[in-house]
Amino acid sequence: MNEIRILAPTGALGAGFDLEGFERGVALQPHVIACDAGSTDSGPSALGSGTPKLSDAAVTGDLRHILRARAALDVPLIIGSCGTSGRDDAVDHVLDLVRSLSRADGAPLTVGVAYSGQSSDALGRLWDAGQIRALPHAPSITRDDLTGSSVVGMMGTEPIEALLEQGCDVVLAGRASDTALFAAVPRMRGFDPGLIWHAAKTIECGAACAVPPSANSLLATVRDDHFDVRTLAAGSRLTEVSVAAHTLYENAHPYRVTEPAGVLDTTEATYEQVDEQTVRVRGSAFEHAQEYTIKLEGARLVGHQTVVAGGIRDRVVIDRLPSLVPLAQQYFAAKIRDLFDDAVDPDEIDISYRFYGLGAVVSGTEPTPLHADEVGVLITVTAPEQRLAHDIATFVAHASSHLPIPEYEGLVTTIAYPFSPPEMDRGPVYEFVLNHVAAGVEPGELFRTRTETIR
Amino acid sequence: MTTLLDLCSLVRSKNAGPFTLTFDFMCRDEAALDALVAADVLTPERFAGLYGTRPEDVAITVHRHARAVKVSVPRPVVQGAIYDNDSYAGQQYGPLMDLEFSVPEDS
């Protein structure tokens, strides 16, 4: 029977995985190993700064096992969204880790790199040509917002396929659709696109769809009219429901997953238990889009932040907080003008309080106001420069711990600070700018590829 | 009265990208899914009120194979913005667990 086997070692490179389960997958002779190394899920910092979420030690640890298995099998290894953000510098950083491991190993390795960083010029041209299109819930942006941010394009399979056609052993991709990493090789071999993309979606998070969920290894086997997904770690199971439910995960619509070339539609998919570790899926469809779209992700610097954490236990103080915070804010604005001799505009400084226990977790409206006997306090000061944020935070922390309580006649300390000093500099903070696509582009147009042989 | 925990083996909130907040209500079995749908508790109006959006921007889908209901809304605050409280959006479902509702007997 015509089939292709795809091994997903882990849900995220650097997350770690059960080695025994992975070796079980390797023994089943996969035709390709693929792995995702990034996401926007940890926030805008990785894309804004280039600093990966996971440590070099963790990523190297996973890479060592995966590269060794790849060499033994002599099959392609595809790693996407390198360095969390997929920025060019983050991809180069993962390339450095691969170089170090590969040189220690001794055998030559041909690595293909696909960069997804977008230059201001390229973005400006797309804007001018009217090719930048907003997705649902997108912020409204200007041309400067687009060209002034750190932007990556999310590639589909095509740049990866181009590198594999050149004979690369390993492909390191910048920002890529998670599913594209798993779909590239099956696509090159002509399997059914609905099955390919659904299989890819099912295994891209590793054993997140297993019972119990984990980041461990999964194997997908795509055949002519179905695919099987199999969980590999001991004690791990798959059920029809757990596999069907995975299209819900981190996805706005449970049946439809949008890719650069079209939409995976799992409405008609059926799920059948084969054994405790394996579920068979049929009936997934892929609708080819009229035009090719590349999702863009962008982040930019908001400022620098200093934070102060503490707690309040006195109910008299807690009850007074709603009226005292606005007074404190007025005092801070006057103090900033006074202290910096009008050189700093208080409107450029954000001073915010979160009161944990009174509704600091949900971004919305609690149906009934929360009450607490003890309240956690998190104060954030955000300013254009770190030094400024820090200096302002010192008097914000001081004043916040000596709020004037009408019921009390003498000086009272109103917040318990666990640390000395209470201020903690958090460094630069970033925000997401884009929820947009570049429409009507060629699949390879926004990406740059190169190869190198490590000896 | 019934709560979501009576019907669901898992309730979760997550980011679906930085601009969308999504909720999964995984039901214990098919009867629980039927009961959840019949109770009409996961309404566009409720989510609009809780998460500061318009009812027409609340997307609700029943997924039979997954025994689940999915609800997606625009994120009240964009992920990672300085006023965002929950970078992974993982605790945004919290107030829903306090809901008490009745399930029609014929469901």
Side-chain angles (χ1 to χ4, degrees), chain A residues 302 329 332-334 336-337 343-351 382-384 388 392, chain B residues 82-83:
Chain A
V302 176
Q329 296 278 16
F332 297 144
I336 289 167
R337 280 196 202 90
V344 176
D345 178 357
D347 288 344
E348 288 189 0
I349 313 296
D350 184 88
I351 302 169
T382 313
L388 192 57
I392 293 168
Chain B
I82 59 173
Y83 300 124

Side-chain angles (χ1 to χ4, degrees), chain A residues 401-418:
Chain A
S401 67
H402 294 295
L403 296 171
I405 306 299
E407 286 83 346
Y408 295 151
E409 284 184 357
L411 190 65
V412 61
T413 301
T414 45
I415 301 184
Y417 291 134

Side-chain angles (χ1 to χ4, degrees), chain A residues 294-328:
Chain A
I294 291 294
K295 181 144 190 274
L296 300 174
E297 294 171 347
R300 70 179 162 204
L301 185 74
V302 176
H304 293 72
Q305 206 166 63
T306 299
V307 300
V308 180
I312 306 173
R313 177 63 181 85
D314 177 0
R315 107 169 79 92
V316 179
V317 177
I318 293 171
D319 289 346
R320 286 287 175 186
L321 288 173
S323 57
L324 288 174
V325 168
L327 289 177

Side-chain angles (χ1 to χ4, degrees), chain A residues 4-21:
Chain A
I4 185 163
R5 295 177 296 278
I6 316 151
L7 178 61
T10 175
L13 185 71
F17 50 88
D18 173 72
L19 204 52
E20 203 180 298

Side-chain angles (χ1 to χ4, degrees), chain B residues 20-62:
Chain B
T20 302
L21 168 60
T22 192
F23 300 84
D24 299 336
F25 302 88
M26 317 301 247
C27 295
R28 295 185 184 279
D29 49 35
E30 284 186 37
L33 176 60
D34 290 338
L36 181 59
V37 171
D40 201 26
V41 65
L42 306 178
T43 61
E45 291 72 23
R46 183 183 301 281
F47 281 85
L50 277 169
Y51 303 103
T53 188
R54 302 174 305 173
E56 54 267 40
D57 287 332
V58 178
I60 302 178
T61 319
V62 177

Side-chain angles (χ1 to χ4, degrees), chain A residues 102-109 454-455:
Chain A
S102 182
R103 285 196 185 110
D105 176 57
L109 188 76
I454 303 167
R455 292 175 199 283

